[in-house]
């Protein structure tokens, strides 16, 4: 998952199911309908030969969808050729391609990881933004807030993902559930007359009952820190309790400011309580989880239909799990991190975001491509190809059986809280508790871990 103590492995983060797209994409029948909304630009409908360049990291399902969308776009725009540039995220290949395309001013629409508000620390911190946030702050991306297609998307989610100084500098098209996300085996829970828990205590009670029957309740890739999702899930829901979802950015910013001003720290009682609650679940984790890698965990879990009812893993791994266990009656829910059912909401992590560089050779055509992508029918196919959670309120998530719980609990979801700004040169401990070392996974106590993190952050501040 995306946390400072336990980053989601690049391979797992980018893995996307190669779901076959509906033939209508290639045929263009339903896609061409409504293309007049894409027109009007100087490039549209022109016989002049124009090349529109799209940059996207390699991701089988997403790439296949983009290729088919590009073919339909070309059909609707005579004279236009869409060139897709791609590279894997491993070994810095994607960063190198991105830099090359931006330097040559050749790319029109570019995929970026949503910077979120964590990327824009106040000037008094002297922290320089990086990645997409650096492009935004430097004025190198086009503000899309007034584009008609932006009305299709949830403005709160877009603002949290890529908002800056009143502008929206991208289309956040993919988001996933990561912190506190739980896969479960429906048939195994049904065997013991259990329902999806609504409170943290219910989850613990279920785990205790399962363990008493000889079942190991929780499986996770402890080697790659997926157990940390429990801590971060509890933290998100605890700090957001009683607050509307739209307040997530403010809660993150207020916390970061308080940390920087030394009025809050990792040693505060709230983090001790979160850590102690986290430990109560960890006693039900597979004892050998610390040696399990993220790349193999979904398949290993799916191959055991009569054990390990729960898997701590992000929503991006649905297709991988189903491929490993095609007969598995798969379910998914958000860990209820508190004992207040109203506070236990879905926490969303922004991901792939389309941006338009100010140096784009064909900005008008780039806007038309984004409008085309954003049409509900097309966006629905994007969701099918990527397994993403929908960022368009009018477009429900895909009809995959495991998404039934999500589809009924998305109305009050919120964007995951970001960690406090880390001072330049800060150690890893400054970013939060090291859950590899905290008992029972490690040997250190809660107090030791939190005191170490608080001290590291204070030391970095100077």
């Amino acid at each position: 998952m995306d946390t400072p103590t336990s980053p989601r492995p690049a391979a797992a983060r980018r893995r996307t199911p190669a779901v076959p797209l509906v033939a209508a994409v290639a045929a263009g029948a339903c896609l061409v309908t409504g293309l007049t909304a894409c027109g009007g630009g100087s490039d549209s409908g022109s016989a002049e030969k124009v090349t529109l360049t799209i940059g996207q990291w390699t991701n089988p399902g997403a790439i296949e969808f983009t290729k088919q969308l590009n073919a339909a776009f070309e059909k609707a725009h005579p004279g236009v050729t869409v060139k897709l540039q791609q590279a894997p995220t491993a070994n810095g290949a994607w960063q190198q391609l991105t830099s090359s395309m931006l330097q040559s001013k050749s790319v029109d629409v570019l995929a970026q990881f949503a910077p979120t508000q964590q990327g824009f620390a106040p000037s008094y911190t002297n922290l320089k933004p990086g990645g997409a946030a650096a492009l935004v702050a430097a004025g190198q991306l086009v503000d899309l807030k007034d584009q008609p297609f932006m009305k299709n998307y949830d403005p709160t989610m877009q603002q949290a993902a890529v908002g800056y100084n009143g502008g929206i500098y991208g289309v956040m098209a993919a988001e996933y559930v990561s912190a506190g996300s739980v896969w479960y085996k429906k048939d195994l829970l049904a065997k013991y007359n259990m329902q999806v828990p609504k409170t943290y205590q219910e989850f613990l009670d279920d785990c205790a009952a399962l363990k008493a029957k000889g079942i190991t309740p929780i499986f996770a890739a402890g080697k790659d820190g997926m157990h940390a999702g429990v801590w971060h899930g509890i933290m998100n829901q605890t700090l957001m309790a009683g607050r509307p979802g739209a307040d997530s950015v403010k809660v993150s910013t207020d916390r970061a400011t308080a940390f920087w001003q030394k009025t809050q720290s990792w040693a505060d009682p709230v983090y001790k309580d979160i850590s102690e609650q986290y430990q109560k679940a960890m006693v039900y984790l597979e004892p050998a989880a610390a040696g399990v890698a993220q790349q193999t965990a979904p398949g290993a879990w799916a191959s055991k239909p009569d054990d390990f009812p729960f898997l701590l893993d992000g929503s991006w791994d649905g297709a991988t799990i189903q491929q490993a266990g095609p007969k598995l009656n798969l379910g998914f829910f958000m860990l209820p991190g508190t004992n207040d059912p109203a506070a236990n909401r879905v926490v969303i992590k922004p991901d792939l975001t389309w941006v338009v560089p100010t140096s784009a050779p064909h900005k008008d055509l780039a806007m038309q491509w984004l409008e085309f992508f954003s049409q509900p029918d097309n966006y629905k196919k994007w969701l099918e190809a990527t397994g993403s959670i929908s960022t368009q309120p009018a477009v429900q998530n895909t009809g995959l059986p495991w998404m039934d719980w999500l589809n009924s609990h998305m109305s009050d979801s919120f964007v995951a809280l970001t960690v406090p700004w880390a001072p330049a040169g800060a150690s890893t401990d400054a970013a939060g508790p090291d859950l590899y070392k905290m008992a029972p996974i490690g040997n250190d106590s809660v107090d030791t871990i939190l005191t170490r993190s608080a001290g590291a952050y204070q030391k970095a501040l100077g």
Side-chain angles (χ1 to χ4, degrees), residues 58-107:
T58 304
N59 208 335
I63 289 293
E64 179 61 24
F65 168 85
T66 303
K67 287 179 178 179
Q68 295 187 31
L69 187 78
N70 289 346
F73 187 82
E74 290 175 345
K75 184 176 181 180
H77 293 71
V80 173
T81 298
V82 185
K83 179 181 179 182
L84 179 61
Q85 296 271 69
Q86 61 171 304
T89 55
N91 302 317
W94 171 245
Q95 289 85 345
Q96 292 176 13
L97 177 60
T98 296
S99 297
S100 175
M101 290 188 292
L102 289 172
Q103 289 175 5
S104 65
K105 301 180 179 180
S106 62
V107 64

Side-chain angles (χ1 to χ4, degrees), residues 178-227:
S178 56
S181 53
V182 182
W183 294 95
Y184 75 101
K185 296 165 181 171
K186 290 183 176 181
D187 293 342
L188 193 52
L189 258 62
K191 179 180 179 180
Y192 297 105
N193 299 312
M194 293 179 180
Q195 306 293 324
V196 172
K198 296 181 180 180
T199 68
Y200 193 63
Q201 190 58 52
E202 287 181 11
F203 177 71
L204 295 177
D205 290 345
D206 287 347
C207 287
L210 289 163
K211 187 174 182 178
K213 297 179 183 298
I215 301 294
T216 303
I218 305 173
F219 193 79
K223 184 177 181 180
D224 293 316
M226 297 307 293
H227 58 287

